[in-house]
Amino acid sequence: MDLEKGGHGTPEILSQTPPDKLQRPLTADEKLAATTIDIDSRGSNTSKDIEYNGLSAHQGNGILARLRRFEESLDRRLGVESQAIDRKLPEERAGVSWWDQVNMAFLWSSGVLNISCFATGFLGFFFSLSLKQTILIVIFGSFLGSSLTGFCATFGAPMGLRQISVSRYSMGWYPNKVIALLNSIQNLGWSAVACITGGLALEAVSNGHVSVEVGIVVIAVVSFVVSFVGLRAILVYEKYAWFVFFIVFMIIFGETAPYYDNTTPASVTGATLSGQVLTLLAIIYGSSASWSTCASDYYVHYPPNVSRVKVFLMTTCGIAIPTSIGMTAGACVASAFNNVPAWAKADDRGLGFLIQTMLYPRGFADFILVLLVLSGINNSIISVYSSAISFQQLARPFALIPRFLWNILCFCIVIALASASRNSLLTYLQDFLSLLGYWCTSYVVIVFSEHFIFRKGDFKNYNLEGWNDPAVLPHGFAAGASWVLGAVAWILGMNATWFISPIAKTIGAHGGDVANELTLVVTALAFIPLRAMELKYFGK
């Protein structure tokens, strides 16, 4: 019987084990090595044990062991996922109704249809592009980036693993730790963006009596509470939240439509126009592609045989369509600055004051602002949750630390990051979202190539028992080298406020971002031959 060596999850007999071996009783040694599972009436695993260097996380009376036992008691009462990163075995997952499957789209719709998305739509105006150009870039970039997330989401149900654990099979044990760290940082950044925009709205609705800092704390606290409970609470909340904000954005379209400027052409031409288009496309693409490193986190509870085509389409559309709606609304409102100077002046005071000025009557505008404050919570919940479980997958000792402690740490970091960045929101968005797309492009190219070229697109070619065993997983030489070369490529092609690369400088007066294009080509050309060599010489 081949037991998992890493200590996480439950031992599972390989599919190749002869039938007669399945029926024999376990030996005493096997019983000692096996992990006991106690499945309560809710179907959650409540006593899986995590080990590091042979020591159980529950042994002794140390503070860590007591905290783990406390977390499990909360799991029994509230279902807080005390074993969040463990592989979910097929027999632990029941069938899912069609309504719950629709939640594949609703989850992301609630997460992206928010005030941060609205603010990002302003960038086309500040890049001197016309409204028509901005809308086309928003739609194309959203669907392009979302397709990467949709692809990564298809791994969750067949493998029963969180996204960072999934990529161990392509990135390798040690290079994947870098991905885990970057994913945590990325999600903390998203949460900070949501808190900033929500804080600005709360400041406006209170007529300045509530500062942005207080608004940031309010958003962060609510997000922390829901993410603390875990995936069950997130799925219930996000299943219905999107509809409220869809109505809000329809109201914004309806009340502001008479003021849109759809006639003024772009004020830049030639190479400068091309550069601005490329840079905005990189930002929009990055905002949707950035979810790829946590996509399968939300699909591990689905049965393994769920349609992968359905998962891909519902995830892609669940991100791209709401993103396009929110950013298009922002682009349309920004275009009206040409016709309504009062809106531009209000925007200088903050996003919340702009919304308060452009909607009517005043009491209704305040109500919409309150709802938009809540929209920041939707995004932040997902971000904080995925960030916490990514930290747990960063190293084996980190997995021994209860998830709720990681949630607390993420909560503190988000508040600090949002407070430091609150005065330069659009610059922060431009730089941060661009960087997200760069490394996510390398990540998806590596995962895609590994799955379809080297594992023939078949999940039977993954040893799922070894998800937490470095001896089973690839060394990651090919992935690590390819990722580094991809990073060099995006540094050479990026266009950000704080750095314009040599290649980007050649495209127009303000530069043009070609980092994602260079990253895709360089990563693919490097990984495929290097991975073939790695398999030849190391066999895994």
Side-chain angles (χ1 to χ4, degrees), residues 462-481:
Y462 291 82
N463 180 357
L464 296 180
E465 282 192 333
W467 72 274
N468 199 39
D469 186 353
V472 173
L473 298 166
H475 292 293
F477 298 133

Side-chain angles (χ1 to χ4, degrees), residues 147-486:
S147 65
L148 272 66
T149 303
F151 164 72
C152 289
T154 63
F155 287 80
M159 300 181 75
L161 293 171
R162 308 292 180 155
Q163 191 67 53
I164 295 302
S165 293
V166 166
S167 58
R168 288 174 177 174
Y169 290 89
S170 51
M171 294 297 302
W173 180 260
Y174 290 104
N176 197 63
K177 295 178 183 297
V178 177
I179 301 300
L181 179 60
L182 287 173
N183 187 51
S184 297
I185 295 171
Q186 167 178 287
N187 282 293
L188 291 174
W190 270 120
S191 183
V193 170
C195 289
I196 292 169
T197 50
L200 290 170
L202 195 59
E203 179 188 39
V205 78
S206 66
N207 293 319
H209 297 300
V210 176
S211 67
V212 177
E213 291 85 351
V214 173
I216 288 172
V217 172
V218 170
I219 302 297
V221 167
V222 178
S223 304
F224 165 75
V225 170
V226 179
S227 63
F228 172 86
V229 176
L231 185 58
R232 291 183 181 181
I234 293 172
L235 292 176
V236 171
Y237 178 88
E238 305 283 11
K239 181 186 291 186
Y240 304 104
W242 69 273
F243 184 72
V244 174
F245 304 107
F246 174 76
I247 297 299
V248 167
F249 277 98
M250 292 303 102
I251 292 171
I252 291 175
F253 276 117
E255 290 204 8
T256 60
Y259 308 101
Y260 298 161
D261 181 1
N262 196 29
T263 59
T264 301
S267 59
V268 291
T269 57
T272 300
L273 173 61
S274 298
Q276 297 292 72
V277 169
L278 288 169
T279 301
L280 180 59
L281 179 61
I283 293 170
I284 305 302
Y285 161 85
S287 72
S288 296
S290 62
W291 298 111
S292 59
T293 51
C294 65
S296 72
D297 292 358
Y298 303 93
Y299 295 85
V300 294
H301 63 292
Y302 287 102
N305 60 352
V306 68
S307 170
R308 296 186 71 206
V309 174
K310 180 188 295 183
V311 171
F312 173 79
L313 291 176
M314 295 190 75
T315 302
T316 300
C317 294
I319 296 174
I321 294 175
T323 298
S324 297
I325 290 173
M327 290 188 181
T328 297
C332 291
V333 168
S335 74
F337 291 170
N338 294 326
N339 298 327
V340 190
W343 289 12
K345 191 173 296 184
D347 184 56
D348 291 338
R349 297 182 61 197
L351 188 60
F353 291 101
L354 168 63
I355 295 171
Q356 202 172 48
T357 301
M358 70 187 192
L359 297 181
Y360 52 87
R362 175 61 182 270
F364 181 68
D366 288 343
F367 173 70
I368 295 296
L369 266 176
V370 171
L371 293 178
L372 287 173
V373 169
L374 297 177
S375 74
I377 296 172
N378 302 343
N379 182 294
S380 187
I381 287 171
I382 296 175
S383 299
V384 171
Y385 174 78
S386 286
S387 185
I389 62 175
S390 288
F391 275 125
Q392 281 192 302
Q393 295 169 91
L394 186 59
R396 279 178 171 175
F398 286 10
L400 302 179
I401 301 173
R403 186 181 66 84
F404 76 87
L405 290 182
W406 287 115
N407 271 72
I408 294 173
L409 174 64
C410 292
F411 164 74
C412 296
I413 294 174
V414 165
I415 291 179
L417 185 60
S419 298
S421 307
R422 67 186 185 278
N423 294 323
S424 52
L425 175 60
L426 288 177
T427 300
Y428 178 75
L429 283 171
Q430 178 181 345
D431 295 341
F432 177 70
L433 298 183
S434 295
L435 289 172
L436 297 185
Y438 302 151
W439 77 270
C440 287
T441 297
S442 279
Y443 173 86
V444 175
V445 167
I446 292 171
V447 173
F448 182 93
S449 300
E450 175 72 23
H451 183 69
F452 286 107
I453 296 176
F454 299 104
R455 299 186 188 266
K456 311 303 180 185
D458 191 344
F459 286 101
K460 293 180 181 178
N461 293 324
Y462 291 82
N463 180 357
L464 296 180
E465 282 192 333
W467 72 274
N468 199 39
D469 186 353
V472 173
L473 298 166
H475 292 293
F477 298 133
S482 303
W483 196 90
V484 170
L485 290 173

